[in-house]
Amino acid sequence: MTERKVWWKTALGVLFTALMLFPVYWMVNVSFTETRDLRADPPHWFPWDPTFEGYEAVFAQQLPALGTSLLIGLGSVGLTVVIAAPAGYALALLHLRGGRTLNFLLLVAQMIPAVVMAMGFYAVYNNLGLLNTVPGLIVADSTIAVPFGVLLFTAFMSGIPRELLQAARVDGAGAWRTFVAIVLPMSRNSILTVSLFAFLWAWSDFIFASTLNRNGDLIPITLSIYHYIGNNTTQWNAIMATAVVASIPASILLVVAQRYVAAGVTAGAVKD
Amino acid sequence: MTSTPADVGSRGAPRGAAGTTPAVPPGGRRRRTLSSSQWAAVGFAAPLLVYLVLFYAYPLWRNIDLSVHDYTIRAFVQGDAEFVGLQNYVDVFSSSTFPTALWNTVVFTFGSIAFQFTIGLALAVFFRSSFRLSSTLRAMFLVPWLLPLIVSASTWAWMLNSENGIVNSVITAFGGEQINWLTSPDTALLSVTIANIWLGIPFNLVILYSGLQNIPGEVYEAASLDGAGPWRQFWSITFPLLRPVSAITILLGLIYTLKVVDVIWVMTTGGPGDASTTLAIWSYREAFGTGQPDFSPAAAVGNLLIVIALVFGFLHLRLQHRQEASS
């Protein structure tokens, strides 16, 4: 009897997942549909006769945008890790004075709406001449990930056994050497988690891109999709093809690094 | 899945900090000047401190500065904006958009949270008992959360399209009337809320599921020996024991939902009229959405939004603090 109940649950689970992922399926389906069939009634539920028009358009037009997004994502990952990892070390293992206050500030920083940050950055960048530049966007995008990164590194590094650090000190290693030779290698998993989120957030960012990089020569893929929708509402297959391509990094990361994703979501929210 | 390093670390964090503080006599530490290890600590934290001042404090200060001046595009370039005190705030509060935007924010936020949480909790309970494929299916539920918001938002926009959308074609196939989801003032807010609920389910599922993992299985075994059915088990065990995690999930959801811009902007740009304009959208539209940027009122709305977010934020911190103290 239990055997049958389990099968029944699997069937229900598949049904729920299918319902949940229907919009994703629909995006893929539309991306393969011929332009003339987009307005067919009833709509084509499956691309029996797939067209690659949409994808050809993506590769003809969107490669620079994809490259820009990749660059911004990697830049944001680098900046986030370089700033957050040493800070986590200082907070977790070097007992930085005022550490509690700093932790508190980081929690508050995560609550500030991105629109507000975008306006502040716009005003600052306007004076510094950083509007419409890739470095400017990298810095702005990294603000989403840095507080999260510091909190995650602090949490993980607090769990590193003190005996190891003491042993290093006995061997004459200073704070820097301990950091590079012991703490960083041991924190590999949290570096991966932080990098993953920093990349995804920078890759998916729309608010900073649409405000700080409105007239740039190099626009990221999110902004490119947005312009596409604005200019070209008849070619939804091409829009959806771009959307599918823009979702590839997320899908790869989900497959390759699923446990880090779940770890990041949980660690950011629940301290149990 | 929940016993990942980051998770273990977060559990150790408060204990580690609390365990090390008494080791150093508080008096002695205060009297001495910075010891060499404190210098090292400051050195490692220095990049972060500089970063926070430059890229958090300074933009926020500029934002306050914008809200108390009358910035036009010309004043922006020349830097001679007139100081107007709280006039921008007065204008915002007396604007006819204000009550609409506030009401829409309330409806959008609470509507999203109520359904995200309920559906997320139901799914978490469903996935609690492991069955064939359960972990794979649970992982697939993360997909909507990982996609770029603009991708999800444009997909929903096309699905809800009046003439060619799949939703309307299903409705008419069953004999219903075509609904102008995104272009009618009656349904625009509902449409963006539906899309946002869909986006938030994965987050709620993951957190509530990990909360469920911390309820020992014996409690359920004892309850079922006492003859409690699944419904009764849910209300007398799961729901009360999950209350702290639920409270945190809901508050974080509130903070996130208040900030939402991308989804609404891509689907309806806050329209038609102000029908789906929330405070965040209002701020974005004033500053960046039209041809003529009006930064000062936008900054005023933005600062109002910060205050609201912080109220919920402090509530969240207090709850979390109390939970740590009790465990």
Side-chain angles (χ1 to χ4, degrees):
Chain A
M1 192 195 122
T2 40
E3 188 72 356
R4 221 175 61 205
K5 197 178 168 193
V6 166
W7 275 110
W8 166 78
K9 279 209 152 192
T10 304
L12 207 57
V14 170
L15 178 72
F16 288 153
T17 316
L19 276 175
M20 185 72 183
L21 294 187
F22 180 77
V24 181
Y25 168 73
W26 199 246
M27 166 177 83
V28 177
N29 180 28
V30 171
S31 76
F32 284 117
T33 307
E34 295 267 5
T35 312
R36 62 186 142 79
D37 292 338
L38 283 173
R39 292 173 199 278
D41 191 36
H44 291 220
W45 287 84
F46 190 83
W48 294 114
D49 181 22
T51 170
F52 292 92
E53 282 169 40
Y55 289 91
E56 278 160 21
V58 173
F59 286 108
Q61 298 158 21
Q62 305 294 340
L63 284 181
L66 287 166
T68 309
S69 281
L70 189 67
L71 187 66
I72 291 170
L74 293 177
S76 177
V77 167
L79 187 59
T80 304
V81 172
V82 163
I83 291 192
Y89 177 52
L91 282 166
L93 300 171
L94 298 175
H95 316 305
L96 178 73
R97 236 187 266 177
R100 280 185 156 265
T101 319
L102 190 56
N103 255 325
F104 175 75
L105 284 179
L106 291 169
L107 284 170
V108 171
Q110 288 182 302
M111 293 162 192
I112 298 167
V115 211
V116 180
M117 291 299 289
M119 268 183 287
F121 268 117
Y122 188 89
V124 174
Y125 281 9
N126 189 46
N127 294 346
L128 295 179
L130 279 172
L131 284 178
N132 305 322
T133 62
V134 169
L137 205 51
I138 289 177
V139 168
D141 281 343
S142 74
T143 58
I144 316 171
V146 165
F148 165 83
V150 177
L151 295 173
L152 197 107
F153 278 125
T154 310
F156 177 79
M157 289 174 184
S158 303
I160 293 179
R162 313 272 140 169
E163 295 79 31
L164 270 175
L165 305 175
Q166 251 147 20
R169 199 178 311 155
V170 171
D171 288 346
W176 174 252
R177 179 124 192 86
T178 314
F179 179 61
V180 174
I182 297 176
V183 176
L184 274 187
M186 286 193 73
S187 314
R188 221 192 54 193
N189 283 351
S190 29
I191 295 176
L192 279 173
T193 307
V194 170
S195 305
L196 185 131
F197 276 85
F199 184 83
L200 274 183
W201 285 331
W203 178 275
S204 332
D205 162 70
F206 169 72
I207 296 185
F208 286 130
S210 69
T211 53
L212 305 175
N213 196 11
R214 285 201 289 182
N215 311 310
D217 300 326
L218 291 172
I219 58 166
I221 189 72
T222 48
L223 199 54
S224 188
I225 295 178
Y226 181 68
H227 288 167
Y228 221 142
I229 300 174
N231 301 336
N232 203 349
T233 35
T234 52
Q235 292 233 308
W236 275 85
N237 47 7
I239 296 175
M240 289 295 120
T242 320
V244 170
V245 174
S247 313
I248 288 174
S251 324
I252 293 177
L253 291 174
L254 183 69
V255 174
V256 176
Q258 189 218 327
R259 70 195 194 99
Y260 302 109
V261 175
V265 182
T266 325
V270 195
K271 287 191 176 177
D272 50 356
Chain B
M1 187 162 89
T2 45
S3 62
T4 44
D7 212 28
V8 174
S10 70
R11 213 170 295 148
R15 228 174 288 152
T20 45
T21 321
V24 184
R29 200 166 65 166
R30 216 168 292 147
R31 239 174 284 132
R32 253 183 288 147
T33 49
L34 282 181
S35 65
S36 65
S37 81
Q38 266 305 308
W39 274 114
V42 172
F44 278 98
L48 175 69
L49 299 174
V50 172
Y51 181 91
L52 286 179
V53 170
L54 280 183
F55 303 126
Y56 262 99
Y58 186 54
L60 284 177
W61 182 80
R62 283 290 284 157
N63 202 58
I64 294 171
D65 180 59
L66 283 176
S67 76
V68 294
H69 286 86
D70 183 21
Y71 268 99
T72 55
I73 277 286
R74 225 192 65 195
F76 224 99
V77 177
Q78 295 176 344
D80 59 348
E82 189 193 344
F83 181 79
V84 293
L86 295 178
Q87 188 55 43
N88 285 315
Y89 291 89
V90 174
D91 289 348
V92 163
F93 282 117
S94 54
S95 154
S96 66
T97 307
F98 180 72
T100 319
L102 188 64
W103 175 245
N104 286 344
T105 309
V106 170
V107 172
F108 177 73
T109 309
F110 286 92
S112 296
I113 302 285
F115 283 94
Q116 282 170 7
F117 179 78
T118 314
I119 298 172
L121 181 58
L123 286 167
V125 171
F126 174 75
F127 278 113
R128 186 178 185 279
S129 58
S130 58
F131 47 87
R132 212 171 235 277
L133 289 179
S134 64
S135 63
T136 315
L137 293 176
R138 213 175 59 231
M140 291 177 73
F141 261 84
L142 282 173
V143 169
W145 189 76
L146 290 170
L147 295 185
L149 280 175
I150 184 137
V151 166
S152 322
S154 38
T155 306
W156 275 97
W158 179 243
M159 283 171 55
L160 293 172
N161 183 289
S162 296
E163 279 87 39
N164 308 303
I166 181 74
V167 175
N168 270 348
S169 89
V170 169
I171 289 176
T172 46
F174 283 96
E177 289 276 303
Q178 175 181 316
I179 300 172
N180 294 320
W181 291 100
L182 301 173
T183 47
S184 149
D186 302 324
T187 49
L189 189 62
L190 176 69
S191 308
V192 295
T193 311
I194 291 174
N196 194 56
I197 291 169
W198 181 78
L199 285 167
I201 289 173
F203 176 77
N204 282 265
L205 168 62
V206 170
I207 296 193
L208 292 169
Y209 179 83
S210 87
L212 283 182
Q213 297 299 300
N214 292 327
I215 301 178
E218 299 92 64
V219 184
Y220 289 100
E221 278 162 36
S224 78
L225 281 181
D226 287 347
W231 188 248
R232 202 167 143 62
Q233 283 184 18
F234 175 79
W235 286 110
S236 43
I237 302 173
T238 312
F239 199 68
L241 285 179
L242 208 58
R243 234 180 44 194
V245 178
S246 305
I248 286 173
T249 313
I250 289 176
L251 275 170
L252 277 177
L254 277 174
I255 296 165
Y256 291 151
T257 314
L258 278 173
K259 305 200 249 192
V260 169
V261 169
D262 328 37
V263 184
I264 304 181
W265 188 257
V266 171
M267 288 177 71
T268 66
T269 64
D274 284 337
S276 55
T277 298
T278 60
L279 289 172
I281 283 288
W282 188 20
S283 177
Y284 182 86
R285 190 178 60 196
E286 290 289 322
F288 304 106
T290 59
Q292 288 172 321
D294 217 348
F295 287 101
S296 294
V301 177
N303 289 333
L304 188 68
L305 204 57
I306 293 193
V307 172
I308 300 175
L310 285 185
V311 169
F312 288 117
F314 284 120
L315 215 60
H316 165 226
L317 290 181
R318 273 192 61 136
L319 267 175
Q320 203 169 54
H321 201 71
R322 205 186 302 162
Q323 202 195 332
E324 264 164 36
S326 69
S327 65

